[in-house]
Amino acid sequence: LGSYALSNPVVATPLTAVKGDANGSMTVDVADVVTEVSYLTNGNPQPFIFEAADVNTDNTVNILDVVGTINIIAHPAVQSQALNQGTALYYIENGILYVESDVVLGGVQFTFTANKETANFRTLEALKPFEQVGQWTSDNTYLFMAYSMSGQTIGVGKTALMQVGDADMNAIVLSDAQGHNVQAMPLVTSLNGVYTHPCINKVLEHSNIYIHYGDRKYTILGERIK
């Protein structure tokens, strides 16, 4: 009788996988969240399936997809769509980053420009319950992400999130609790203390200047009154 040599086993990784299965394991679990975060922080995870990691199918992998993957794990029957479901204003005042959102937030992603030698980033109370990732991606660029595996959220309204010193905001992505994009717009203060934004209308009412943004109304000091 002839003899036959045993063939070497072959391990194959699928080129496509279900949404959220970023590592191609055929299961969506916490390892996929870790894989996505590693990708976002230039960790070069292998394997990595971009199409599966792009949970909301917007051709970008970011904090929205991390939160979306967490929701697939926690609520597998709920499907996430790439929708804008809220708006938020953000600004830095006295070295503190504030965000005022009209929806609950489930994750944040910030990119700052700062001096690596002197910068001192510190999260404040609102972000303490969140998983946090902070990394210098260059000598003057700092990436920060916060998300929650246990479903913690940042409430509606104005919230102080981080001590950032004299760092400048370079990019921001905000996610609601389901992984939907929350449109973030800067509320900028000028030297005379007036907050401005190209999409915000300043209106003179009874000798007072108010800032109207959609159906919201602010004083020139950024205090919401409607």
Side-chain angles (χ1 to χ4, degrees), residues 18 70 98 215 224:
V18 297
I70 293 171
Y98 293 89
D215 60 356
R224 184 174 178 178

Side-chain angles (χ1 to χ4, degrees), residues 97-120:
L97 171 63
Y98 293 89
V99 170
E100 181 172 349
S101 175
D102 58 14
V103 296
V104 168
L105 300 178
V108 298
Q109 178 178 325
F110 307 130
T111 305
F112 298 98
T113 300
N115 186 325
K116 186 175 182 179
E117 300 301 321
T118 60
N120 183 21

Side-chain angles (χ1 to χ4, degrees), residues 75-158:
H75 310 288
V78 178
Q79 297 297 315
S80 180
Q81 301 295 326
L83 302 173
N84 291 317
Q85 292 204 339
T87 58
L89 299 172
Y90 67 91
Y91 60 96
I92 296 173
E93 184 175 66
N94 297 324
I96 295 176
L97 171 63
Y98 293 89
V99 170
E100 181 172 349
S101 175
D102 58 14
V103 296
V104 168
L105 300 178
V108 298
Q109 178 178 325
F110 307 130
T111 305
F112 298 98
T113 300
N115 186 325
K116 186 175 182 179
E117 300 301 321
T118 60
N120 183 21
F121 294 100
R122 181 172 62 88
T123 54
L124 301 179
E125 195 63 30
L127 290 178
K128 296 298 184 186
F130 286 70
E131 281 76 29
Q132 302 174 18
V133 178
Q135 178 174 311
W136 289 95
T137 57
S138 73
D139 286 342
N140 61 358
T141 304
Y142 184 77
L143 172 68
F144 175 85
M145 292 184 293
Y147 56 93
S148 174
M149 294 298 299
S150 60
Q152 298 290 326
T153 58
I154 301 167
V156 172
K158 178 181 174 182

Side-chain angles (χ1 to χ4, degrees), residues 14-221:
L15 295 177
T16 60
V18 297
K19 289 300 182 182
D21 184 17
N23 63 3
S25 67
M26 307 307 291
T27 302
V28 181
D29 54 26
V30 67
D32 298 296
V33 176
V34 173
T35 296
E36 291 168 350
V37 171
S38 177
Y39 171 81
L40 290 170
T41 55
N42 299 323
N44 191 29
Q46 296 295 327
F48 178 74
I49 303 175
F50 184 93
E51 291 78 7
D54 182 17
V55 173
N56 61 5
T57 320
D58 64 354
N59 296 317
T60 300
V61 175
N62 56 25
I63 193 67
L64 304 179
D65 302 295
V66 173
V67 176
T69 300
I70 293 171
N71 272 273
I72 291 173
I73 297 169
H75 310 288
V78 178
Q79 297 297 315
S80 180
Q81 301 295 326
L83 302 173
N84 291 317
Q85 292 204 339
T87 58
L89 299 172
Y90 67 91
Y91 60 96
I92 296 173
E93 184 175 66
N94 297 324
I96 295 176
L97 171 63
Y98 293 89
V99 170
E100 181 172 349
S101 175
D102 58 14
V103 296
V104 168
L105 300 178
V108 298
Q109 178 178 325
F110 307 130
T111 305
F112 298 98
T113 300
N115 186 325
K116 186 175 182 179
E117 300 301 321
T118 60
N120 183 21
F121 294 100
R122 181 172 62 88
T123 54
L124 301 179
E125 195 63 30
L127 290 178
K128 296 298 184 186
F130 286 70
E131 281 76 29
Q132 302 174 18
V133 178
Q135 178 174 311
W136 289 95
T137 57
S138 73
D139 286 342
N140 61 358
T141 304
Y142 184 77
L143 172 68
F144 175 85
M145 292 184 293
Y147 56 93
S148 174
M149 294 298 299
S150 60
Q152 298 290 326
T153 58
I154 301 167
V156 172
K158 178 181 174 182
T159 307
L161 296 183
M162 293 183 68
Q163 180 76 50
V164 301
D166 59 359
D168 293 322
M169 178 70 75
N170 196 24
I172 178 172
V173 183
L174 301 177
S175 171
D176 71 6
Q178 288 73 46
H180 301 133
N181 182 56
V182 176
Q183 187 176 8
M185 289 161 288
L187 191 62
V188 183
T189 180
S190 62
L191 293 177
N192 60 3
V194 177
Y195 286 90
T196 61
H197 184 276
C199 297
I200 294 175
N201 297 318
K202 286 188 286 187
V203 179
L204 181 64
E205 297 178 7
H206 307 297
S207 300
N208 294 314
I209 296 177
Y210 296 98
I211 298 170
H212 287 213
Y213 178 74
D215 60 356
R216 290 174 289 181
K217 184 177 179 181
Y218 298 82
T219 69
I220 61 172
L221 297 178

